[in-house]
Amino acid sequence: MGSYVPKEIKVPALKVEQPLGDFYVSVMGAKQLNSIAWVDVRRMAGERGEIDRYLGVQRHISPERIKKIKQYVKTKEATFPTSIIVAVPEKCTFWDEDTNAIIFREYIDEEEPGNNVYLDDIAKILDGQHRLRGLKEADEELDGIDEDSNDLSKFQLNVAIFVGADIAQQANIFATVNLAQTKVNRSLVYDLAEYSKSRSPQKTCHYTAVALDKNEKSPFFKSIKRLGTATPGRKEEGFKETLTQATFVDGLIQHITADEVSDRDFLIRNAGKKLRIPTESEKDKMVLRDLFVNEEDTLIAKIYWAYFQAVANRWPEAWERSSDKGNIIKKTNGYRAFAKFFGDLYKTACHDKGERLGVLLPSSDYKQYFDKINIDDYDFNVDTYPPGTTGETKLYRDLLQYLS
């Protein structure tokens, strides 16, 4: 191995300074970029029946998207103006300031070959995997066959290169780029909060979703689609997931923050500091805000758990049969209505007991309120509560009237 000369390529680039750190912008041929790029697909990895380990930060390859891109790049109007984003290990990257160029060079460790990084997998794709795959497959199909088509071997791409970004930064880059795009699975975006080194409302809600989904005593045991799609193996085990993680998080996060982006940004910028103490008005609107500010995330999960356990106890038949067609109690509409009602009922129950907001009330403390509600198990159907916000609002109002 001592005689091996590490391979390298040199590409022109410009250095860009932004709050996250420096990165580089380059122009590379699609074929050249494909030759050094690889994709880390985020997936669930089960061990002994437990789904508790995650790998990677990217989305699964969609054959349908690849097909559409292959068709598109063959047209005369084909263009990809936005950047392909890649992450490259610092040990494989050299910045030549004199020539404004980046050198990608293989890293060879003669003593520990397992640490080697070869040229064909130097650049991890954080965003743009479908565009790259589509260009590659289209070029292979057209090679020597269709002379009138675009010469895809000359198709250039602008590339944003992040050097030495750790997994938390990579996840943040991917989530930030894709959060506003409706095509991106929002459950995946929330799941990526797990990688963040700092606290955030999203991360707190994600961990609550994980805790309630994994604990066999929880009313949401194996009911949450953690990545927004069916969890492999659960259907075979007899479990039917009725909620996406995005829906679950949206229901809880309203009681923690009014501006999740600002909270997250403050906590990233001010490591070790806490958010300001909420005013009484803010506590009234967000009943778990004080707990979040004081970093009592476990207590948040326990309070939310106890409340929904009370819901399950009050309407056991509907809850048990929540996966049945037409039953909405533990599906999006029903969950959203009960999640919103949580703030009203929790405040009332705490006030009636003479307790401050933020205490853990056992599920039995909600029984006296739920027993007054004149809604039966069989009422949780799409005829009574139609799909969409109409049904959600109707259920919330039906619940709320019994507190007045």
Side-chain angles (χ1 to χ4, degrees):
M1 195 69 179
S3 61
Y4 183 83
V5 178
K7 298 176 184 176
E8 67 178 44
I9 61 172
K10 185 175 182 178
V11 298
L14 294 173
K15 192 174 184 178
V16 181
E17 296 181 2
Q18 290 188 359
L20 177 69
D22 297 345
F23 67 97
Y24 303 87
V25 175
S26 178
V27 175
M28 298 178 66
K31 183 171 288 189
Q32 183 183 47
L33 182 55
N34 263 311
S35 73
I36 66 170
W38 63 284
V39 177
D40 192 6
V41 179
R42 185 168 177 82
R43 63 192 182 277
M44 288 190 169
E47 291 185 349
R48 298 183 299 279
E50 294 180 358
I51 300 172
D52 59 2
R53 185 164 59 91
Y54 285 78
L55 305 171
V57 297
Q58 259 282 17
R59 291 167 286 173
H60 290 284
I61 286 286
S62 166
E64 185 60 30
R65 289 192 67 195
I66 296 297
K67 181 180 178 181
K68 290 180 179 178
I69 289 174
K70 284 164 60 177
Q71 293 173 334
Y72 172 67
V73 297
K74 296 174 186 177
T75 69
K76 293 295 184 182
E77 296 179 330
T79 180
F80 293 131
T82 56
S83 295
I84 305 293
I85 304 176
V86 299
V88 182
E90 189 171 10
K91 61 187 178 184
C92 299
T93 312
F94 303 88
W95 170 241
D96 186 343
E97 191 169 2
D98 293 333
T99 61
N100 280 335
I102 275 189
I103 300 171
F104 300 120
R105 183 180 299 156
E106 293 179 325
Y107 177 82
I108 305 300
D109 188 334
E110 295 183 358
E111 296 183 358
E112 294 290 339
N115 294 329
N116 292 348
V117 181
Y118 295 102
L119 195 61
D120 59 0
D121 62 359
I122 271 182
K124 181 197 288 189
I125 303 171
L126 300 185
D127 191 71
Q129 62 168 340
H130 288 90
R131 283 170 281 169
L132 274 178
R133 176 73 76 86
L135 279 162
K136 180 179 181 180
E137 292 188 11
D139 186 45
E140 291 171 350
E141 289 180 0
L142 293 174
D143 188 22
I145 298 176
D146 190 347
E147 296 181 355
D148 294 328
S149 240
N150 299 341
D151 184 357
L152 298 179
S153 65
K154 298 179 180 179
F155 201 113
Q156 292 185 317
L157 298 164
N158 54 311
V159 186
I161 305 160
F162 287 83
V163 177
D166 61 26
I167 188 64
Q169 291 171 320
Q170 292 174 30
N172 180 49
I173 292 164
F174 172 76
T176 301
V177 167
N178 288 289
L179 182 59
Q181 299 184 25
T182 57
K183 291 183 179 180
V184 173
N185 186 322
R186 289 175 57 252
S187 292
L188 169 60
V189 174
Y190 281 130
D191 212 70
L192 291 172
E194 177 182 328
Y195 281 124
S196 175
K197 293 178 180 178
S198 63
R199 296 182 69 252
S200 70
Q202 300 94 323
K203 188 173 183 178
T204 294
C205 292
H206 160 68
Y207 278 130
T208 300
V210 171
L212 270 62
D213 180 69
K214 289 180 63 174
N215 194 300
E216 60 183 9
K217 295 181 180 180
S218 161
F220 291 103
F221 179 54
K222 293 189 176 182
S223 295
I224 300 172
K225 300 173 185 176
R226 291 272 299 278
L227 298 185
T229 56
T231 306
R234 286 191 173 177
K235 184 176 181 181
E236 291 73 15
E237 295 174 357
F239 293 96
K240 295 182 179 180
E241 297 165 309
T242 58
L243 294 171
T244 64
Q245 179 173 193
T247 298
F248 183 92
V249 168
D250 287 347
L252 174 58
I253 206 167
Q254 64 186 308
H255 303 298
I256 290 174
T257 180
D259 190 342
E260 60 194 73
V261 175
S262 294
D263 281 353
R264 184 176 184 277
D265 186 60
F266 175 89
L267 293 168
I268 289 174
R269 292 174 182 271
N270 301 276
K273 292 186 178 181
K274 292 184 178 182
L275 293 158
R276 66 170 176 79
I277 298 172
T279 64
E280 291 303 315
S281 175
E282 289 171 332
K283 291 179 185 179
D284 187 65
K285 294 176 182 177
M286 299 170 287
V287 296
L288 301 177
R289 177 68 175 174
D290 207 24
L291 293 180
F292 176 72
V293 169
N294 288 310
E295 302 181 3
E296 297 186 70
D297 294 355
T298 300
L299 188 51
I300 288 174
K302 289 181 177 179
I303 291 172
Y304 206 57
W305 178 337
Y307 167 77
F308 273 101
Q309 186 60 61
V311 176
N313 293 343
R314 170 61 178 85
W315 293 280
E317 184 177 346
W319 197 266
E320 181 67 24
R321 300 174 63 87
S322 58
S323 61
D324 288 359
K325 185 176 181 180
N327 184 336
I328 60 96
I329 191 170
K330 199 166 58 169
K331 293 176 184 170
T332 302
N333 276 7
Y335 169 78
R336 286 183 182 276
F338 275 109
K340 187 175 183 180
F341 184 59
F342 162 73
D344 302 292
L345 182 53
Y346 181 66
K347 280 190 297 185
T348 299
C350 286
H351 177 270
D352 290 350
K353 289 194 68 174
E355 297 280 7
R356 61 176 177 81
L357 292 176
V359 300
L360 172 60
L361 300 179
S363 58
S364 57
D365 279 3
Y366 300 104
K367 186 177 185 301
Q368 60 175 307
Y369 305 98
F370 280 138
D371 283 348
K372 297 176 183 177
I373 297 176
N374 188 26
I375 300 176
D376 294 320
D377 289 78
Y378 56 78
D379 290 325
F380 293 100
N381 58 70
V382 293
D383 293 325
T384 306
Y385 302 108
T389 55
T390 300
E392 174 191 332
T393 302
K394 184 177 186 301
L395 176 55
Y396 171 68
R397 289 175 177 172
D398 285 352
L399 295 169
L400 191 61
Q401 67 175 316
Y402 292 97
L403 280 185
S404 57

